[in-house]
C-alpha cells in the first residue's frame, strides 16, 4: 500500500518515552498538518502514523453507506476489498483493533478507519495502533463543527501545550497534576479532578482547588453525583446549580455545600470504547457551560486517556524488555551450562580414547564437580571412588538401598537425600545391559542442572570406557580361545606356534598342567528349561562361559578357558591333585549357582609337564568326563582315579564303542603311516604278553625302538603301559579298534 507523500517533515522512529516521545511528535505533526486543511491532514497522516507504529504501510479508509474506499481515491473508485485481506467488516467500536495474518484494521471514528500493513517479522503493537487512531481523531475534531477560526486556533495551541506537558512526563501523578491544573485554568473553574475506575467505583486520583480533604478522596458508584451519572450514561454531564439540580443524585450535596460548589461539568475518559474514568470541573458560582467548554474538557479527557494508554504502553514495553532480558539471561546461563557440560564431556571422551582408567575418569569428574563421585557395579558390590577415602559404610548402605528403590528402566538422574547428604545417581547402561551406577554426593557448589548434565556425561564416558575394555577383553579372549584350540587339536607345528604366542601374551604354562573338561546339559524333566527364551538361554550360556573367571583363586590356577558345543575346556596348573580337585568342585558350584537347572559333569586329566602333550591330557579328561556323566557324579572325576569297571559302566551306558576307541586312543586313530606303525606295535605288544623284547623280535626291530614307540603311544593317549588298569584300557581299545576300524 502506497499513498502520495506530502511535503511535511517525518521524524525518525524512537520508542515512546525517550527524550523526543513519538506520541508527542505524532500529535504535534498532525496538529501542524491540520492547520492546512482536512485533506492535507489525511494525506500526511498515512506516512506519520506508519512511522509511529513501524508498519510496512498505512492507508486511510473512508466509509459511507457500508462501503469503504481509500480516502485519496475518487468516490467513483471501487470499494476496498477487505475480504481479500481477511476482514468481514470494519469494527464498529472506537479504536478496536481487528487483525488478520498480514493487516490490521483500526476505526478512527464512524466514517474513517486505518488499514495497516504489518511489516515482515515485526508484529504490530495494538496499543500503539489505538494511540495513533486517537491522535488522528483529535486532530480531525477541529473540522467537526462550525467554530470560529480563532477558537480552533486557540484550542489547537492549547492542545499542543497540554500534550507537551503530559506526554513528556513518564510519571502518571505528575501527568494528572498537569491535566487538572490545565483543566482548572482552561475552564475558568475553581476545582478540577480526575477519577478512575477501581473495581465498581470511581475513585479520585488527583484534585486541585479543593478546600475540603474529603474531596481529594472522593469515591462514588455509578449514578452517584455528576461523575457517577457520566459513568452510567457514558456521556458528558453539565449542572448549572448543583444543590438544586434534579438530574443528579443528592449523595454529595453536603460536600458541595462544604466546598461552596454551584455548578459542575464532567466528561468520560474513554479507552477502547469503554469508560475508564471521569474528568470533572467545579465552579463556586452559578454558571452555564457552553459547547466549547464541553469540547475543550473532552479534548483534555482524550489527552488524559492517551496519557494513560501511553503509560501502559511504556510499562508493557519495559516489562517486555525486562522479560526479554530475563529470558536472555536464562538462555545465556543455560548456554553456559550446556557449553561447560559439552567441554567436560569432550575432555572425558578424550581421556577415554587416550586409555585413561576408570579411576582416572572418576577422579576427573570429582574435581570438576568438587564433590565425591563413585562408580558402583551392577552387583552393588565393588566401587571406584574419589576422594579415595570414600564414604562411611553406613552411608554407602543407605545409598545402595535408595538405588534399589528405583526401577531398572530409570535412565535419568535421580535426586535423593541419603544420611543427611544430597545424592544424585544415574544408571550406566551399554548394549542394552546394565553396567552400574554413577553416584555424586553433596554437589553443593553447582546448580542442579549443571550436575545433571555432568552426571549424564560421566555415565556416557564410563559406558564407553567399559565397552572399550570389554571389547578388548573379548578380542583377547577370542584370540586366547583360538590358541587353546591350537594347543588341544592342531598338529605339532601349530601347537608350537600357539605356545610361543601364549608366551608373548605372558600366559605361563610351566608346571603340572591339567585339562578340565566340563559338559553342561539341561536337567532331565525340567519343563521350565524347555520354556526358556532365546535371551534366557544366551544369559545362561554367558554365565557358564564366564564361570572360570569367578571361581576362587582363578588367577592362581586357571591359564586358559574356552566354551564350545556345551563343553567348557579349562587348562589349569596346580601342584597337587587336592588343589585341582578343589578347583574343579568350585567350578561345578559356580556353574550351578549361575544356572541352577543345569547338570554338570567334569573330568580332570592326568598332569602333563609339556604343553605339547595337552592333546593326550584332553583325551584322558574326556574319558574321565564320560565316566562322571555315566555315574551322575556330583563331583569331578579325575583320570587318575578311573578303574576298568568305571569305563565299562560308561561303555554300557552309552553303547558307543567307536567313540570310546576314539577318545581312549586319541590321535592314534587318525589314518597315517606313523599311527599305523604305532597301532601295529601296540597290537603286537599285547600279543607278545607285554614283553618289549618279544615284540622287538617279532617286528624285527631293536628293543629301544619298541620302547620309543610305546612312549609315543603313551603321549598320544595319556595312558601308561606300565599301569595295570591303563594298560587294560589300551588293550580293550586296541581290540575294539580291530573290530571297528
Amino acid at each position: 500500500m502506497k499513498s502520495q507523500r506530502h511535503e511535511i517533515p517525518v521524524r525518525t522512529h524512537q520508542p515512546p518515552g525517550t527524550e523526543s516521545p513519538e506520541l508527542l511528535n505524532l500529535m504535534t505533526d498532525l496538529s501542524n498538518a491540520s492547520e492546512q486543511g482536512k485533506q492535507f491532514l489525511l494525506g500526511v497522516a498515512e506516512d506519520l502514523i506508519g512511522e509511529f507504529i513501524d508498519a510496512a504501510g498505512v492507508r486511510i479508509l473512508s466509509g459511507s453507506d457500508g462501503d469503504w474506499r481509500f480516502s485519496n481515491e475518487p468516490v467513483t473508485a471501487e470499494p476496498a476489498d477487505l475480504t481479500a485481506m481477511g476482514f468481514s467488516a470494519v469494527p464498529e467500536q472506537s479504536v478496536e483493533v481487528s487483525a488478520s495474518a498480514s493487516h490490521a484494521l483500526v476505526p478512527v471514528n464512524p466514517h474513517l478507519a486505518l488499514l495497516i500493513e504489518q511489516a515482515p517479522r515485526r508484529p504490530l503493537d495494538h496499543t500503539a495502533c489505538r494511540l495513533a487512531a486517537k491522535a488522528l481523531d483529535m486532530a480531525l475534531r477541529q473540522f467537526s463543527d462550525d467554530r470560529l477560526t480563532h477558537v480552533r486556533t486557540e484550542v489547537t495551541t492549547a492542545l499542543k501545550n497540554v500534550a507537551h506537558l503530559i506526554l513528556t512526563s513518564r510519571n502518571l501523578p505528575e501527568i494528572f497534576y498537569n491535566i487538572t491544573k490545565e483543566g482548572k485554568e482552561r475552564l475558568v473553574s475553581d476545582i478540577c479532578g480526575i477519577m478512575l475506575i477501581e473495581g465498581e467505583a470511581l475513585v479520585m486520583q488527583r484534585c486541585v482547588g479543593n478546600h475540603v480533604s474529603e474531596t481529594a478522596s472522593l469515591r462514588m458508584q455509578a449514578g452517584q453525583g455528576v461523575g457517577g451519572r457520566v459513568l452510567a450514561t457514558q456521556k458528558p454531564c453539565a449542572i448549572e446549580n448543583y444543590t438544586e439540580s434534579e438530574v443528579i443524585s443528592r449523595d454529595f450535596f453536603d460536600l458541595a455545600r462544604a466546598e461552596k460548589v454551584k455548578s459542575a461539568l464532567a466528561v468520560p475518559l474513554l479507552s477502547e470504547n469503554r469508560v475508564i474514568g471521569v474528568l470533572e470541573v467545579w465552579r463556586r458560582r452559578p454558571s452555564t457551560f457552553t459547547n466549547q467548554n464541553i469540547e475543550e474538557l473532552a479534548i483534555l479527557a482524550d489527552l488524559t486517556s492517551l496519557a494513560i494508554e501511553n503509560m501502559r504502553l511504556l510499562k508493557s514495553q519495559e516489562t517486555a524488555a525486562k522479560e526479554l532480558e530475563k529470558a536472555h539471561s536464562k538462555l545465556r546461563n543455560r548456554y553456559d551450562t550446556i557449553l561447560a557440560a559439552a567441554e567436560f564431556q569432550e575432555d572425558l571422551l578424550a581421556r577415554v580414547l587416550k586409555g585413561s582408567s576408570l579411576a582416572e575418569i572418576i577422579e576427573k569428574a570429582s574435581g570438576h564437580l568438587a564433590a565425591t563421585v563413585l562408580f558402583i557395579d551392577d552387583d552393588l558390590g565393588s566401587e571406584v571412588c574419589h576422594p579415595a577415602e570414600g564414604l562411611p559404610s553406613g552411608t554407602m548402605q543407605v545409598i545402595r538401598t535408595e538405588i534399589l528403590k528405583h526401577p531398572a528402566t530409570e535412565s535419568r538422574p535421580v535426586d535423593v537425600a541419603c544420611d543427611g547428604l544430597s545424592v544424585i545417581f544415574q544408571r550406566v547402561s551399554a548394549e542394552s545391559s546394565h553396567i552400574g551406577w554413577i553416584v555424586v554426593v553433596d554437589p553443593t557448589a553447582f546448580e542442579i542442572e549443571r550436575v545433571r548434565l555432568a552426571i549424564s556425561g560421566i555415565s556416557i564416558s564410563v559406558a564407553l570406557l567399559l565397552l572399550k575394555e570389554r571389547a578388548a577383553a573379548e578380542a583377547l579372549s577370542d584370540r586366547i580361545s583360538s590358541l587353546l584350540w591350537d594347543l588341544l587339536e592342531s598338529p605339532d607345528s601349530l601347537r608350537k606356534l600357539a605356545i610361543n604366542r601364549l608366551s608373548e601374551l605372558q600366559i605361563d604354562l610351566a608346571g603340572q598342567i591339567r585339562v578340565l573338561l566340563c559338559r553342561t546339559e539341561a536337567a532331565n524333566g525340567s519343563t521350565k528349561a524347555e520354556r526358556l527364551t532365546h535371551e534366557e538361554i544366551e544369559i545362561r550360556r554367558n554365565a557358564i562361559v564366564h564361570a572360570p573367571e569367578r571361581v576362587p583363586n582363578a588367577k592362581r590356577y586357571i591359564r586358559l578357558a574356552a566354551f564350545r558345543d556345551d563343553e567348557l575346556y579349562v587348562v589349569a596348573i596346580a601342584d597337587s591333585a587336592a588343589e585341582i580337585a578343589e578347583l574343579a568342585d568350585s567350578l561345578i558350584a559356580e556353574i550351578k549357582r549361575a544356572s541352577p537347572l543345569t547338570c554338570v559333569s567334569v573330568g580332570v586329566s592326568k598332569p602333563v609337564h609339556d604343553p605339547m602333550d595337552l592333546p593326550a591330557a584332553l583325551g584322558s579328561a574326556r574319558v574321565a568326563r564320560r565316566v562322571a556323566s555315566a555315574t551322575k557324579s556330583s563331583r569331578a572325576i579325575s583320570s587318575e582315579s578311573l578303574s576298568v569297571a568305571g569305563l565299562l559302566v560308561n561303555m554300557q551306558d552309552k553303547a558307543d564303542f567307536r567313540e570310546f576307541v576314539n577318545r581312549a586312543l586319541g590321535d592314534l586313530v587318525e589314518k597315517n603311516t606313523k599311527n599305523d606303525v604305532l597301532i601295529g606295535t601296540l597290537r603286537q605288544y599285547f600279543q607278545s604278553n607285554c614283553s618289549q623284547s618279544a615284540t622287538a623280535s617279532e617286528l624285527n626291530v631293536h628293543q629301544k625302538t619298541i620302547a620309543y614307540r610305546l612312549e609315543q603311544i603313551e603321549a598320544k593317549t595319556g595312558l601308561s603301559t606300565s599301569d595295570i588298569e591303563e594298560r587294560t584300557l589300551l588293550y580293550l581299545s586296541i581290540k575294539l579298534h580291530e573290530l571297528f576300524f
Side-chain angles (χ1 to χ4, degrees), residues 524-657:
N524 291 334
S526 175
T527 56
K528 179 175 176 56
E530 296 173 359
R531 296 195 299 270
L532 291 179
T533 65
H534 176 75
E535 183 178 359
E536 289 173 326
I537 292 172
E538 190 63 23
I539 290 173
R540 291 195 173 188
R541 181 184 181 280
N542 287 334
I544 295 170
V545 168
H546 296 289
E549 303 169 9
R550 295 191 291 266
V551 298
N553 297 317
K555 292 184 178 180
R556 177 182 174 186
Y557 296 118
I558 297 177
R559 298 295 183 268
L560 302 168
F563 187 82
R564 185 175 67 184
D565 298 335
D566 293 329
E567 289 187 325
L568 182 64
Y569 297 74
V570 178
V571 174
I573 295 179
D575 295 333
S576 67
E579 289 177 327
I580 205 69
E582 183 180 355
L583 176 65
D585 290 340
S586 297
L587 184 60
I588 294 172
E590 177 58 34
I591 293 174
K592 285 185 171 294
R593 184 197 68 79
S595 182
L597 298 179
T598 300
C599 288
V600 185
S601 56
V602 177
V604 182
S605 74
K606 289 183 178 181
V608 296
H609 294 83
D610 187 348
M612 293 294 291
D613 296 333
L614 279 171
L618 176 61
S620 65
R622 285 190 184 282
V623 173
R625 204 284 310 159
R626 184 85 179 266
V627 172
S629 178
T631 58
K632 296 181 172 54
S633 173
S634 60
R635 303 190 64 181
I637 297 295
S638 171
S639 177
E640 296 173 289
S641 65
L642 288 179
S643 64
V644 174
L647 289 177
L648 291 175
V649 169
N650 178 36
M651 291 168 57
Q652 183 181 11
D653 179 51
K654 297 296 181 180
D656 189 345
F657 297 108

Side-chain angles (χ1 to χ4, degrees), residues 679-725:
I679 289 289
T681 300
L682 184 59
R683 185 179 296 115
Q684 185 60 51
Y685 175 73
F686 284 120
Q687 290 175 356
S688 300
N689 239 357
C690 300
S691 169
Q692 291 187 21
S693 59
T695 304
S697 177
E698 287 293 330
L699 295 177
N700 197 23
V701 295
H702 196 278
Q703 187 173 338
K704 289 183 178 181
T705 300
I706 298 301
Y708 174 72
R709 291 178 181 177
L710 290 176
E711 288 177 1
Q712 287 186 304
I713 291 170
E714 290 178 351
K716 285 181 175 290
T717 63
L719 300 174
S720 173
T721 57
S722 59
D723 182 277
I724 182 61
E725 290 191 354

Side-chain angles (χ1 to χ4, degrees), residues 390-402 418-421:
L391 298 170
S393 58
T395 302
M396 284 303 307
Q397 185 56 44
V398 174
I399 291 175
R400 289 187 175 95
T401 302
E402 286 293 334
C418 296
D419 212 20
L421 297 172

Side-chain angles (χ1 to χ4, degrees), residues 191-211:
I191 306 171
C192 182
I194 293 176
M195 292 175 281
L196 296 180
I197 291 179
E198 293 182 3
E200 299 294 329
L202 276 174
V203 179
M204 185 69 76
Q205 305 295 319
R206 182 69 185 182
C207 185
V208 295
N210 59 301
H211 293 162

Side-chain angles (χ1 to χ4, degrees), residues 301-370:
D302 284 345
L303 283 171
T304 304
S305 298
L306 278 173
I308 292 172
E309 286 214 40
N310 192 42
M311 290 300 298
R312 289 175 179 171
L313 176 61
L314 291 173
K315 287 183 178 179
S316 67
Q317 288 177 335
E318 290 173 356
T319 301
K322 289 178 181 178
E323 291 297 325
L324 183 61
E325 179 61 30
K326 187 186 298 183
H328 179 269
S329 177
K330 187 175 181 180
L331 285 174
R332 168 58 63 181
N333 291 337
R334 178 69 174 166
Y335 172 78
D336 291 342
T337 298
I338 293 175
L339 181 62
E343 290 174 348
F344 174 57
Q345 176 73 78
E346 185 178 354
D347 184 26
L348 288 183
L349 292 177
R351 291 171 181 268
V352 170
L353 294 175
K354 288 179 181 178
S356 294
S357 66
L358 177 59
E360 290 171 329
I361 296 297
I362 297 300
E363 180 180 356
K364 174 63 180 177
S366 175
H368 175 74
L369 292 173

Side-chain angles (χ1 to χ4, degrees), residues 248-293:
I248 59 174
S249 71
R250 305 176 62 85
D251 295 275
F252 303 105
F253 278 16
D254 291 340
L255 182 59
R257 293 188 186 97
E259 289 282 9
K260 299 180 181 180
V261 168
K262 299 300 181 180
S263 56
L265 172 63
V267 295
L269 303 178
L270 299 174
S271 176
E272 299 184 47
N273 212 42
R274 62 185 180 85
V275 177
I276 61 171
V278 171
L279 177 62
E280 186 170 354
V281 293
W282 294 267
R283 291 173 178 170
R284 292 190 173 98
R285 64 185 184 280
S287 61
T288 300
F289 292 97
T290 66
N291 287 338
Q292 180 180 340
N293 295 147

